[in-house]
Amino acid sequence: MIVAMRNGPRLRHERQEAIAVLAVRYGSVDVSDLATRVGVTTETIRRDLSDMQERHLLRRVHGGAVPMQRLGHEPMIDARDTVNAEEKLRIAMQAISEIPELGSVIIDSGSTGQRLAHVFPVERDVHVVTNSLLAAVTLVRRGLRDLTVLGGSVRTNTLAMVDDTAVAELAGMAIDVLFISCDGLSFQHGLTTPNRAERSVKRAMIERADRVVALVDQSKFGNVQMFSFAAFEDIDVLITDNRVDSGAVEALEDRGLVVHRA
């Protein structure tokens, strides 16, 4: 099923990131194929799969593993997330390094945020706030202990709470890290969204967070939507995928952002 790859990932976190991506791509992974692909023993792969199962990232099956989302009747993400799914998963895996061991985070309602919910280290002592019903259900199923779901009206196409109630609830919060996504990124308008209510909630999230991490795959670059909610000076770290043009990365870094390509 999987073609052998020389010089494959050797470090544990690199192997496990590769395994998670392959599981999403193929719907399942096989121990022998994985060992050949990443250049380690089958015993090492079995240990990786067991560790990932304990972290609710995969489920072990005979001879391999399947993604956790295949176990239930609910889809892992809404239809928008079928686009650039592997890139979004890599971005989410990279974002784990920005999650504190102790504290609070917001995960907004973007599809990459939903990917982050699927790999979030639920064993950490972190209180998660979200306006996404999809992310909330995912985190509860994975065993997160401390979760706050913002109230308000639900946008049926995104399953997110985006009205004045959500904005008002955010006003009383002080959050360590915000993970936020967008529909468009341009050097003239910053981060943008096509929806006015989404803009208000995203802006309120930024104002309540000490640190802002933007999760933006390559398809959003050069796209301009109607409502701008963040200038580049509002963002501390931007995580994107490795298809982004190097010139765009340099331009973002010139504006003071730390940029990671997953």
Side-chain angles (χ1 to χ4, degrees):
M1 178 182 68
I2 301 173
V3 177
M5 181 179 67
R6 295 179 182 176
N7 301 319
R10 298 301 180 110
L11 297 177
R12 183 184 182 197
H13 73 277
E14 291 177 335
R15 286 198 311 272
Q16 293 189 2
E17 178 178 340
I19 290 168
V21 169
L22 291 168
V24 169
R25 179 187 299 171
Y26 295 108
S28 65
V29 287
D30 177 84
V31 169
S32 297
D33 288 337
L34 287 173
T36 299
R37 184 177 182 93
V38 302
V40 297
T41 66
T42 56
E43 289 76 14
T44 296
I45 293 297
R46 290 190 181 96
R47 287 194 295 270
D48 283 334
L49 296 182
S50 294
D51 177 64
M52 295 174 75
Q53 178 171 265
E54 289 178 5
R55 294 161 56 206
H56 305 284
L57 299 176
L58 296 174
R59 178 177 180 248
R60 292 291 308 274
V61 296
H62 181 69
V66 297
M68 288 294 290
Q69 66 267 22
R70 294 190 60 188
L71 306 179
H73 300 293
E74 299 280 344
M76 186 181 79
I77 49 177
D78 59 54
R80 295 180 307 158
D81 200 44
T82 60
V83 179
N84 301 318
E86 291 181 27
E87 288 81 0
K88 291 173 182 178
L89 179 57
R90 290 192 182 97
I91 290 169
M93 297 288 284
Q94 176 69 43
I96 292 174
S97 64
E98 299 291 336
I99 298 171
E101 292 291 336
L102 172 68
S104 58
V105 305
I106 297 176
I107 300 175
D108 92 328
S109 59
S111 56
T112 310
Q114 173 63 9
R115 288 289 187 187
L116 180 57
H118 271 268
V119 299
F120 193 92
V122 295
E123 71 280 0
R124 296 186 189 179
D125 190 8
V126 176
H127 191 126
V128 178
V129 177
T130 186
N131 68 325
S132 167
L133 292 178
L134 286 170
V137 169
T138 297
L139 290 165
V140 168
R141 286 177 172 174
R142 295 191 57 236
L144 183 73
R145 295 185 297 273
D146 296 316
L147 174 68
T148 293
V149 182
L150 300 175
S153 299
V154 178
R155 288 191 70 204
T156 55
N157 61 329
T158 62
L159 297 181
M161 282 69 75
V162 295
D163 67 3
D164 291 342
T165 301
V167 173
E169 290 181 358
L170 284 163
M173 296 182 182
I175 302 296
D176 294 315
V177 185
L178 163 63
F179 295 95
I180 197 164
S181 58
C182 63
D183 293 275
L185 180 152
S186 74
F187 289 100
Q188 182 178 1
H189 300 287
L191 306 188
T192 60
T193 176
N195 184 270
R196 185 191 302 271
E198 290 270 12
R199 183 265 177 202
S200 297
V201 173
K202 288 176 182 290
R203 188 65 225 166
M205 290 177 173
I206 290 170
E207 292 171 354
R208 306 316 301 171
D210 287 338
R211 184 172 175 82
V212 178
V213 179
L215 312 177
V216 186
D217 70 82
Q218 183 271 342
S219 69
K220 310 299 174 56
F221 279 68
N223 188 1
V224 179
Q225 298 296 327
M226 185 173 183
F227 299 100
S228 175
F229 63 85
F232 293 120
E233 54 263 31
D234 295 320
I235 308 301
D236 297 291
V237 177
L238 187 141
I239 304 175
T240 186
D241 60 73
N242 57 19
R243 296 182 302 155
V244 173
D245 179 75
S246 297
V249 172
E250 291 176 3
L252 289 170
E253 291 174 337
D254 287 343
R255 295 184 181 222
L257 278 72
V258 174
V259 181
H260 299 299
R261 284 190 281 187

PDB file of all heavy atoms in Angstrom, residues 134-156:
ATOM      1  N   LEU A 134     -18.310  21.280  16.787  1.00  0.00           N
ATOM      2  CA  LEU A 134     -17.522  20.138  16.325  1.00  0.00           C
ATOM      3  C   LEU A 134     -16.287  19.932  17.194  1.00  0.00           C
ATOM      4  O   LEU A 134     -15.987  18.814  17.617  1.00  0.00           O
ATOM      5  CB  LEU A 134     -17.106  20.336  14.872  1.00  0.00           C
ATOM      6  CG  LEU A 134     -18.195  20.169  13.808  1.00  0.00           C
ATOM      7  CD1 LEU A 134     -17.668  20.646  12.465  1.00  0.00           C
ATOM      8  CD2 LEU A 134     -18.659  18.729  13.726  1.00  0.00           C
ATOM      9  N   ALA A 135     -15.561  21.022  17.461  1.00  0.00           N
ATOM     10  CA  ALA A 135     -14.364  20.906  18.291  1.00  0.00           C
ATOM     11  C   ALA A 135     -14.727  20.479  19.705  1.00  0.00           C
ATOM     12  O   ALA A 135     -14.031  19.659  20.314  1.00  0.00           O
ATOM     13  CB  ALA A 135     -13.616  22.238  18.315  1.00  0.00           C
ATOM     14  N   ALA A 136     -15.821  21.015  20.245  1.00  0.00           N
ATOM     15  CA  ALA A 136     -16.237  20.666  21.604  1.00  0.00           C
ATOM     16  C   ALA A 136     -16.548  19.179  21.728  1.00  0.00           C
ATOM     17  O   ALA A 136     -16.103  18.512  22.666  1.00  0.00           O
ATOM     18  CB  ALA A 136     -17.450  21.501  22.005  1.00  0.00           C
ATOM     19  N   VAL A 137     -17.308  18.644  20.787  1.00  0.00           N
ATOM     20  CA  VAL A 137     -17.658  17.219  20.829  1.00  0.00           C
ATOM     21  C   VAL A 137     -16.400  16.363  20.702  1.00  0.00           C
ATOM     22  O   VAL A 137     -16.229  15.361  21.413  1.00  0.00           O
ATOM     23  CB  VAL A 137     -18.673  16.881  19.720  1.00  0.00           C
ATOM     24  CG1 VAL A 137     -18.843  15.374  19.587  1.00  0.00           C
ATOM     25  CG2 VAL A 137     -20.013  17.531  20.014  1.00  0.00           C
ATOM     26  N   THR A 138     -15.512  16.745  19.812  1.00  0.00           N
ATOM     27  CA  THR A 138     -14.265  16.001  19.638  1.00  0.00           C
ATOM     28  C   THR A 138     -13.455  15.966  20.923  1.00  0.00           C
ATOM     29  O   THR A 138     -12.961  14.914  21.351  1.00  0.00           O
ATOM     30  CB  THR A 138     -13.426  16.628  18.519  1.00  0.00           C
ATOM     31  OG1 THR A 138     -14.135  16.526  17.284  1.00  0.00           O
ATOM     32  CG2 THR A 138     -12.079  15.935  18.379  1.00  0.00           C
ATOM     33  N   LEU A 139     -13.309  17.110  21.576  1.00  0.00           N
ATOM     34  CA  LEU A 139     -12.512  17.197  22.799  1.00  0.00           C
ATOM     35  C   LEU A 139     -13.145  16.406  23.939  1.00  0.00           C
ATOM     36  O   LEU A 139     -12.440  15.748  24.712  1.00  0.00           O
ATOM     37  CB  LEU A 139     -12.334  18.664  23.193  1.00  0.00           C
ATOM     38  CG  LEU A 139     -11.428  19.479  22.255  1.00  0.00           C
ATOM     39  CD1 LEU A 139     -11.612  20.965  22.497  1.00  0.00           C
ATOM     40  CD2 LEU A 139      -9.971  19.078  22.439  1.00  0.00           C
ATOM     41  N   VAL A 140     -14.465  16.445  24.055  1.00  0.00           N
ATOM     42  CA  VAL A 140     -15.143  15.672  25.095  1.00  0.00           C
ATOM     43  C   VAL A 140     -14.947  14.179  24.858  1.00  0.00           C
ATOM     44  O   VAL A 140     -14.641  13.414  25.785  1.00  0.00           O
ATOM     45  CB  VAL A 140     -16.646  16.025  25.132  1.00  0.00           C
ATOM     46  CG1 VAL A 140     -17.410  15.020  25.994  1.00  0.00           C
ATOM     47  CG2 VAL A 140     -16.842  17.433  25.681  1.00  0.00           C
ATOM     48  N   ARG A 141     -15.099  13.738  23.631  1.00  0.00           N
ATOM     49  CA  ARG A 141     -14.931  12.322  23.309  1.00  0.00           C
ATOM     50  C   ARG A 141     -13.508  11.849  23.579  1.00  0.00           C
ATOM     51  O   ARG A 141     -13.282  10.691  23.917  1.00  0.00           O
ATOM     52  CB  ARG A 141     -15.287  12.068  21.846  1.00  0.00           C
ATOM     53  CG  ARG A 141     -16.778  12.105  21.554  1.00  0.00           C
ATOM     54  CD  ARG A 141     -17.046  11.912  20.082  1.00  0.00           C
ATOM     55  NE  ARG A 141     -18.469  11.749  19.821  1.00  0.00           N
ATOM     56  CZ  ARG A 141     -19.002  11.685  18.606  1.00  0.00           C
ATOM     57  NH1 ARG A 141     -18.216  11.782  17.544  1.00  0.00           N
ATOM     58  NH2 ARG A 141     -20.297  11.528  18.451  1.00  0.00           N
ATOM     59  N   ARG A 142     -12.552  12.753  23.438  1.00  0.00           N
ATOM     60  CA  ARG A 142     -11.153  12.390  23.659  1.00  0.00           C
ATOM     61  C   ARG A 142     -10.745  12.494  25.124  1.00  0.00           C
ATOM     62  O   ARG A 142      -9.622  12.160  25.473  1.00  0.00           O
ATOM     63  CB  ARG A 142     -10.243  13.256  22.789  1.00  0.00           C
ATOM     64  CG  ARG A 142     -10.438  13.014  21.289  1.00  0.00           C
ATOM     65  CD  ARG A 142      -9.351  13.676  20.446  1.00  0.00           C
ATOM     66  NE  ARG A 142      -8.053  13.210  20.864  1.00  0.00           N
ATOM     67  CZ  ARG A 142      -7.053  14.009  21.253  1.00  0.00           C
ATOM     68  NH1 ARG A 142      -7.223  15.320  21.288  1.00  0.00           N
ATOM     69  NH2 ARG A 142      -5.895  13.512  21.625  1.00  0.00           N
ATOM     70  N   GLY A 143     -11.635  12.974  25.980  1.00  0.00           N
ATOM     71  CA  GLY A 143     -11.361  12.952  27.411  1.00  0.00           C
ATOM     72  C   GLY A 143     -10.852  14.246  28.009  1.00  0.00           C
ATOM     73  O   GLY A 143     -10.323  14.231  29.135  1.00  0.00           O
ATOM     74  N   LEU A 144     -11.007  15.382  27.324  1.00  0.00           N
ATOM     75  CA  LEU A 144     -10.584  16.661  27.899  1.00  0.00           C
ATOM     76  C   LEU A 144     -11.393  16.950  29.158  1.00  0.00           C
ATOM     77  O   LEU A 144     -12.613  16.798  29.186  1.00  0.00           O
ATOM     78  CB  LEU A 144     -10.787  17.787  26.887  1.00  0.00           C
ATOM     79  CG  LEU A 144     -10.305  19.161  27.348  1.00  0.00           C
ATOM     80  CD1 LEU A 144      -8.784  19.232  27.333  1.00  0.00           C
ATOM     81  CD2 LEU A 144     -10.896  20.266  26.482  1.00  0.00           C
ATOM     82  N   ARG A 145     -10.700  17.393  30.217  1.00  0.00           N
ATOM     83  CA  ARG A 145     -11.360  17.600  31.511  1.00  0.00           C
ATOM     84  C   ARG A 145     -12.022  18.972  31.633  1.00  0.00           C
ATOM     85  O   ARG A 145     -13.098  19.089  32.193  1.00  0.00           O
ATOM     86  CB  ARG A 145     -10.342  17.418  32.643  1.00  0.00           C
ATOM     87  CG  ARG A 145      -9.797  16.011  32.758  1.00  0.00           C
ATOM     88  CD  ARG A 145      -8.899  15.876  33.977  1.00  0.00           C
ATOM     89  NE  ARG A 145      -7.718  16.738  33.881  1.00  0.00           N
ATOM     90  CZ  ARG A 145      -6.592  16.386  33.288  1.00  0.00           C
ATOM     91  NH1 ARG A 145      -6.500  15.197  32.707  1.00  0.00           N
ATOM     92  NH2 ARG A 145      -5.551  17.204  33.251  1.00  0.00           N
ATOM     93  N   ASP A 146     -11.360  20.015  31.134  1.00  0.00           N
ATOM     94  CA  ASP A 146     -11.841  21.385  31.344  1.00  0.00           C
ATOM     95  C   ASP A 146     -12.172  22.026  30.001  1.00  0.00           C
ATOM     96  O   ASP A 146     -11.280  22.311  29.200  1.00  0.00           O
ATOM     97  CB  ASP A 146     -10.781  22.214  32.074  1.00  0.00           C
ATOM     98  CG  ASP A 146     -10.512  21.696  33.474  1.00  0.00           C
ATOM     99  OD1 ASP A 146     -11.485  21.388  34.185  1.00  0.00           O
ATOM    100  OD2 ASP A 146      -9.333  21.597  33.853  1.00  0.00           O
ATOM    101  N   LEU A 147     -13.459  22.267  29.783  1.00  0.00           N
ATOM    102  CA  LEU A 147     -13.925  22.783  28.502  1.00  0.00           C
ATOM    103  C   LEU A 147     -15.048  23.783  28.719  1.00  0.00           C
ATOM    104  O   LEU A 147     -15.980  23.524  29.478  1.00  0.00           O
ATOM    105  CB  LEU A 147     -14.425  21.635  27.616  1.00  0.00           C
ATOM    106  CG  LEU A 147     -15.079  22.014  26.284  1.00  0.00           C
ATOM    107  CD1 LEU A 147     -14.053  22.599  25.325  1.00  0.00           C
ATOM    108  CD2 LEU A 147     -15.766  20.797  25.661  1.00  0.00           C
ATOM    109  N   THR A 148     -14.956  24.926  28.067  1.00  0.00           N
ATOM    110  CA  THR A 148     -16.038  25.910  28.040  1.00  0.00           C
ATOM    111  C   THR A 148     -16.455  26.124  26.594  1.00  0.00           C
ATOM    112  O   THR A 148     -15.613  26.390  25.729  1.00  0.00           O
ATOM    113  CB  THR A 148     -15.586  27.256  28.636  1.00  0.00           C
ATOM    114  OG1 THR A 148     -15.331  27.089  30.031  1.00  0.00           O
ATOM    115  CG2 THR A 148     -16.670  28.320  28.461  1.00  0.00           C
ATOM    116  N   VAL A 149     -17.743  25.991  26.333  1.00  0.00           N
ATOM    117  CA  VAL A 149     -18.300  26.223  25.005  1.00  0.00           C
ATOM    118  C   VAL A 149     -19.062  27.542  25.043  1.00  0.00           C
ATOM    119  O   VAL A 149     -19.964  27.719  25.853  1.00  0.00           O
ATOM    120  CB  VAL A 149     -19.232  25.074  24.572  1.00  0.00           C
ATOM    121  CG1 VAL A 149     -19.756  25.334  23.159  1.00  0.00           C
ATOM    122  CG2 VAL A 149     -18.505  23.739  24.631  1.00  0.00           C
ATOM    123  N   LEU A 150     -18.661  28.467  24.192  1.00  0.00           N
ATOM    124  CA  LEU A 150     -19.342  29.757  24.137  1.00  0.00           C
ATOM    125  C   LEU A 150     -20.777  29.587  23.648  1.00  0.00           C
ATOM    126  O   LEU A 150     -21.045  28.777  22.758  1.00  0.00           O
ATOM    127  CB  LEU A 150     -18.581  30.710  23.211  1.00  0.00           C
ATOM    128  CG  LEU A 150     -17.136  31.024  23.611  1.00  0.00           C
ATOM    129  CD1 LEU A 150     -16.476  31.884  22.546  1.00  0.00           C
ATOM    130  CD2 LEU A 150     -17.073  31.702  24.970  1.00  0.00           C
ATOM    131  N   GLY A 151     -21.681  30.353  24.214  1.00  0.00           N
ATOM    132  CA  GLY A 151     -23.086  30.261  23.830  1.00  0.00           C
ATOM    133  C   GLY A 151     -23.439  31.145  22.652  1.00  0.00           C
ATOM    134  O   GLY A 151     -22.588  31.811  22.069  1.00  0.00           O
ATOM    135  N   GLY A 152     -24.722  31.139  22.324  1.00  0.00           N
ATOM    136  CA  GLY A 152     -25.203  31.988  21.242  1.00  0.00           C
ATOM    137  C   GLY A 152     -25.806  31.204  20.094  1.00  0.00           C
ATOM    138  O   GLY A 152     -25.896  29.977  20.126  1.00  0.00           O
ATOM    139  N   SER A 153     -26.225  31.933  19.075  1.00  0.00           N
ATOM    140  CA  SER A 153     -26.824  31.314  17.898  1.00  0.00           C
ATOM    141  C   SER A 153     -25.783  30.526  17.117  1.00  0.00           C
ATOM    142  O   SER A 153     -24.615  30.912  17.053  1.00  0.00           O
ATOM    143  CB  SER A 153     -27.430  32.396  16.992  1.00  0.00           C
ATOM    144  OG  SER A 153     -28.436  33.103  17.666  1.00  0.00           O
ATOM    145  N   VAL A 154     -26.232  29.449  16.500  1.00  0.00           N
ATOM    146  CA  VAL A 154     -25.322  28.560  15.772  1.00  0.00           C
ATOM    147  C   VAL A 154     -25.464  28.791  14.272  1.00  0.00           C
ATOM    148  O   VAL A 154     -26.567  28.765  13.728  1.00  0.00           O
ATOM    149  CB  VAL A 154     -25.620  27.087  16.104  1.00  0.00           C
ATOM    150  CG1 VAL A 154     -24.702  26.165  15.307  1.00  0.00           C
ATOM    151  CG2 VAL A 154     -25.484  26.834  17.589  1.00  0.00           C
ATOM    152  N   ARG A 155     -24.330  29.028  13.607  1.00  0.00           N
ATOM    153  CA  ARG A 155     -24.317  29.053  12.143  1.00  0.00           C
ATOM    154  C   ARG A 155     -24.371  27.617  11.655  1.00  0.00           C
ATOM    155  O   ARG A 155     -23.474  26.817  11.937  1.00  0.00           O
ATOM    156  CB  ARG A 155     -23.052  29.720  11.619  1.00  0.00           C
ATOM    157  CG  ARG A 155     -22.988  31.216  11.807  1.00  0.00           C
ATOM    158  CD  ARG A 155     -21.822  31.796  11.010  1.00  0.00           C
ATOM    159  NE  ARG A 155     -22.079  31.720   9.578  1.00  0.00           N
ATOM    160  CZ  ARG A 155     -21.129  31.711   8.643  1.00  0.00           C
ATOM    161  NH1 ARG A 155     -19.845  31.737   8.998  1.00  0.00           N
ATOM    162  NH2 ARG A 155     -21.440  31.653   7.373  1.00  0.00           N
ATOM    163  N   THR A 156     -25.404  27.272  10.923  1.00  0.00           N
ATOM    164  CA  THR A 156     -25.618  25.873  10.566  1.00  0.00           C
ATOM    165  C   THR A 156     -24.566  25.335   9.600  1.00  0.00           C
ATOM    166  O   THR A 156     -24.303  24.133   9.578  1.00  0.00           O
ATOM    167  CB  THR A 156     -27.015  25.683   9.945  1.00  0.00           C
ATOM    168  OG1 THR A 156     -27.162  26.580   8.821  1.00  0.00           O
ATOM    169  CG2 THR A 156     -28.094  25.999  10.969  1.00  0.00           C
TER     170      THR A 156
END
